[in-house]
Structures are given as structure tokens and as C-alpha cells.
């Protein structure tokens, strides 16, 4: 089968032929239809310090996908050939304290599909049945391909109640933009999102942000005055991994404010702990998705009318992977989807 492979410890990727995997006991074989490109894939493609530390070549990349089940291994129940599926990319041990308690997203031995084990940028993928999410209702294939990052957005956006609340999102990457749409869908009064990319701020407005602020040219103080916000934001969602963004967020929260932090910083982040203490703020780290409560919420919110499709801005065939990765790296895009059933798509697809 064709697969996009990190063949050696170094920059670059190669579209090459590798053996088609076989489903073992409790596993399913999935014909991949479409995949999404994640920031993680860019780190591995460029072979930065994190990738050199984490990844062992050869490796098939990719963890955001939708596909069709074509074969089930022995012992697989409730998943059938022909099912349209996405999958949870965090593979958990099933044996640690949190796994046994049903809190699998807190597994201490989580490994990553397409990071530690061969992933979804291929024509076929094998996944344990416990990681498969069957789409039981009609879903747009491009949206189904990005269920993994959509799940990050849902996990973050629903961490704290947002009904009627004023929400601040720092970082208008694809997950921040989707979180804006989800927060509005879940009943937030105002959703203010900040970034420094005019392209992405415009896209965030399309997804429902009340105000998309370029922090180089405007201030949150002005926005809060315009929105007649008296006491500060109620809920914060940090999506940028930037120290200055988290500091600014802490400074703009109202008393009792709650912050969900998904953005992953690369170094130490100084925080004004006196403000955290005296305003009685809550900071909560968010990683991955709850298995499978987040997935349930993702599916039913789409059925309830949530539309995240504007976040998908570019589509490529699998042979156009270099162009797809270059576009992702440019930042002049939302989510990028690769079609694994066609080598090339017409420009502007
Ligand atoms: Zn575990």
C-alpha cells in the first residue's frame, strides 16, 4: 500500500510502498479515505528536537482520519465491515489506575498513533477496536477526517460551563477557531479570540467569534469596554502555548474565572500567582479527548447543528503531500485534508 513515511532520522517524508497491515485479535483494518494534517505531523516532518527525541524511524505518520472498515480481526464485536469510522489516536494501556477507573484519557502509559506507532497517512490502517469511533449518523467526510482536533476543541471548550458566559480564547489556530464555534453553540454570550494572523482571525469570525482581535493593533481592555464587560472574562481557553498569552489571560479573568489550557508551551511559563490566588482562578490542563464522552459530544453537537466545516480550507490528493505540508506550514490556512482515494485533486479543491 501507499504510505507517507518518515524513512530516516532527519527532515522530510517519502510517499512509498509498505506492506498492508493485518488486523490481529481485537483489531480492525480500515481503508483510509481522508486524513487531516496536525501540527504534530509538521514537527515530525521537519525533525525538530521534540521529534528527534520522540520518534523512531521508519514511521508512517498521521493520526487524524476517517475511513471504512474492510476487515475485522478475531474477537471484534459491534464493528462491521463497511462501517464509516474515525479513531482515537491515544492508545492506552488498559491496566493503570486511571484506565481501570474508566478515565482512559488520564492513562499514564498513553502512546500516540503516528508518533510512537504506524499511523493513518496510508491507504490502510489497523486500530484496536477500543479506539474506533463508528459514525452512526451521516457526517461530512472532511469533518469526520478532523474529529481528533475537533475533539481537542470540544474537550477544551466544554471543560467549564459557558452558557451565558464571556469567553476568551488565546490562539486562533484551527483548534482555537473550532473552540470559538463550540462555545457559541454551547451558549456563550461573547467569544473573544486573539491572534496575530489576519487570515486566521478572519476565519475565526466566520466560525462565530464575537470579536477576533489582532493583539498587535488592539487591546483586550478596549474590547472589554466595547462589549460592556464589567468584571473580566468568565472562561479562558489558552490555545497558543505562548507565555505572554497566558499571562494576559490571567490578568483579564474575572473573580472565580476558569481557564482551560490546551496550548503546549516549550519552556517555563511565569504566571502571576498572586492574581490566581486572590481572584480564586482555576487553571486546568487539557490533553487529548475523554474516551469516549468527548467523542459522543462531538457527534451529537454536529447533529444538533454545530458547523465547523469552514475551518477546512484546503484539500489535496495523497501524491500532493509536499504541497499540503507546505501550505500547512505557511499558516495561511485552516485545516488541510488529504484524500487517500485520489493521488491529485484539482487546484482550489
Ligand atoms: Zn493506562
Amino acid at each position: 500500500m501507499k504510505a507517507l513515511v518518515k524513512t530516516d532520522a532527519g527532515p522530510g517524508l517519502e510517499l512509498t510502498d509498505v506492506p498492508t497491515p493485518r488486523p490481529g485479535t481485537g483489531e480492525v483494518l480500515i481503508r483510509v479515505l481522508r486524513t487531516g494534517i496536525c501540527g504534530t505531523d509538521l514537527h515530525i516532518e521537519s525533525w525538530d528536537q521534540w521529534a528527534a527525541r520522540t520518534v523512531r524511524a521508519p514511521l508512517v505518520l498521521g493520526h487524524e482520519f476517517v475511513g471504512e472498515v474492510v476487515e475485522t480481526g478475531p474477537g471484534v464485536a459491534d464493528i462491521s465491515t463497511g462501517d464509516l469510522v474515525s479513531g482515537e489516536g491515544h492508545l492506552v494501556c488498559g491496566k493503570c489506575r486511571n484506565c481501570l477507573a474508566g478515565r482512559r484519557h488520564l492513562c499514564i502509559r498513553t502512546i500516540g498513533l503516528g508518533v510512537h506507532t504506524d499511523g493513518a497517512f496510508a491507504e490502510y490502517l489497523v486500530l484496536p477496536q477500543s479506539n474506533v469511533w463508528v459514525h452512526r449518523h451521516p457526517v461530512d467526510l472532511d469533518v469526520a477526517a478532523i474529529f481528533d482536533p475537533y475533539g481537542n476543541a470540544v474537550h477544551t471548550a466544554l471543560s467549564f460551563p459557558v452558557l451565558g458566559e464571556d469567553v476568551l480564547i488565546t490562539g486562533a489556530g484551527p483548534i482555537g477557531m473550532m473552540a470559538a464555534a463550540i462555545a457559541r453553540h454551547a451558549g456563550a454570550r461573547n467569544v473573544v479570540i486573539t491572534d496575530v494572523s489576519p487570515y486566521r482571525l478572519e476565519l475565526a469570525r466566520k466560525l462565530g467569534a464575537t470579536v477576533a482581535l489582532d493583539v498587535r493593533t488592539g487591546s483586550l481592555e478596549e474590547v472589554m469596554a466595547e462589549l460592556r464587560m464589567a468584571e473580566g472574562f468568565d472562561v479562558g481557553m489558552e490555545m497558543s502555548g505562548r507565555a505572554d498569552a497566558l499571562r494576559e489571560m490571567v490578568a483579564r479573568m474575572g473573580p472565580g474565572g476558569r481557564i482551560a489550557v490546551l496550548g503546549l508551551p516549550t519552556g517555563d511559563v511565569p504566571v502571576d500567582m498572586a492574581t490566581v490566588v486572590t481572584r480564586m482562578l482555576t487553571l486546568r490542563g487539557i490533553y487529548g479527548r475523554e474516551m469516549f464522552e468527548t467523542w459522543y459530544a462531538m457527534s451529537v453537537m454536529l447533529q444538533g447543528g454545530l458547523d465547523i466545516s469552514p475551518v477546512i480550507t484546503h484539500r489535496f490528493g495523497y501524491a500532493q503531500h509536499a504541497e499540503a505540508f507546505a501550505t500547512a506550514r505557511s499558516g495561511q490556512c485552516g485545516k488541510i485534508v488529504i484524500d487517500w482515494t485520489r493521488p491529485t485533486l484539482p487546484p482550489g479543491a
Side-chain angles (χ1 to χ4, degrees):
M1 67 169 185
K2 294 265 183 294
L4 200 48
V5 182
K6 168 66 71 183
T7 50
D8 302 296
L13 291 174
E14 203 177 319
L15 184 67
T16 184
D17 285 296
V18 300
T20 303
R22 307 287 318 150
T25 300
E27 294 179 333
V28 302
L29 179 67
I30 298 160
R31 184 169 78 94
V32 177
L33 299 174
R34 297 181 195 181
T35 58
I37 297 180
C38 173
T40 303
D41 304 317
L42 299 182
H43 288 291
I44 299 174
E45 190 265 347
S46 66
W47 203 250
D48 64 9
Q49 285 184 356
W50 169 84
R53 226 176 28 243
T54 311
V55 172
R56 295 283 159 270
L59 177 84
V60 179
L61 266 63
H63 55 275
E64 304 177 0
F65 74 94
V66 62
E68 182 187 359
V69 175
V70 289
E71 193 180 337
T72 55
V76 171
D78 304 322
I79 299 171
S80 309
T81 302
D83 281 350
L84 186 71
V85 298
S86 294
E88 171 56 55
H90 285 180
L91 306 163
V92 300
C93 77
K95 295 170 189 166
C96 71
R97 176 193 173 173
N98 281 306
C99 278
L100 290 173
R103 298 183 294 258
R104 288 178 279 177
H105 60 293
L106 297 175
C107 175
I108 198 164
R109 284 186 284 268
T110 301
I111 63 167
L113 182 72
V115 177
H116 304 100
T117 179
D118 280 342
F121 289 173
E123 290 179 289
Y124 293 91
L125 165 72
V126 159
L127 208 61
Q129 62 175 334
S130 54
N131 280 68
V132 173
W133 181 257
V134 180
H135 296 286
R136 305 249 178 232
H137 297 269
V139 60
D140 177 84
L141 279 185
D142 288 335
V143 169
I146 61 162
F147 253 47
D148 176 291
Y150 167 43
N152 291 130
V154 168
H155 190 185
T156 311
L158 301 188
S159 277
F160 301 113
V162 295
L163 178 62
E165 303 287 38
D166 293 329
V167 174
L168 173 62
I169 302 174
T170 44
I175 296 176
M177 294 180 211
M178 287 190 276
I182 296 156
R184 288 304 295 270
H185 183 77
R189 179 171 68 165
N190 293 306
V191 177
V192 176
I193 190 165
T194 63
D195 206 287
V196 294
S197 159
Y199 181 98
R200 291 191 153 176
L201 289 166
E202 186 53 40
L203 202 47
R205 288 181 196 107
K206 267 189 210 164
L207 278 144
T210 319
V211 175
L213 173 72
D214 189 330
V215 289
R216 296 170 308 180
T217 54
S219 78
L220 278 173
E221 264 177 314
E222 291 160 9
V223 169
M224 290 163 72
E226 274 166 34
L227 296 174
R228 296 166 170 243
M229 287 174 50
E231 298 190 7
F233 289 92
D234 305 297
V235 176
M237 303 174 195
E238 207 305 289
M239 302 290 200
S240 72
R242 292 179 57 98
D244 51 356
L246 183 62
R247 274 204 299 275
E248 173 80 353
M249 180 174 274
V250 166
R252 300 294 163 213
M253 298 304 289
R258 294 182 272 193
I259 299 175
V261 183
L262 182 87
L264 205 54
T266 50
D268 288 350
V269 175
V271 171
D272 177 4
M273 284 306 293
T275 297
V276 172
V277 171
T278 56
R279 287 197 206 150
M280 291 174 274
L281 305 184
T282 301
L283 266 77
R284 181 181 189 182
I286 305 291
Y287 188 63
R289 299 140 297 277
E290 291 189 19
M291 297 165 224
F292 276 83
E293 184 61 13
T294 302
W295 292 78
Y296 177 82
M298 287 148 67
S299 281
V300 297
M301 280 195 290
L302 293 179
Q303 289 158 40
L306 172 65
D307 182 13
I308 57 159
S309 62
V311 80
I312 301 160
T313 55
H314 295 75
R315 295 161 180 85
F316 295 96
Y318 65 85
Q320 298 166 301
H321 62 90
E323 199 183 336
F325 270 71
T327 305
R329 206 172 284 290
S330 76
Q332 297 291 100
C333 59
K335 286 300 294 186
I336 294 173
V337 167
I338 293 181
D339 189 328
W340 282 87
T341 65
R342 289 179 287 178
T344 56
L345 297 185

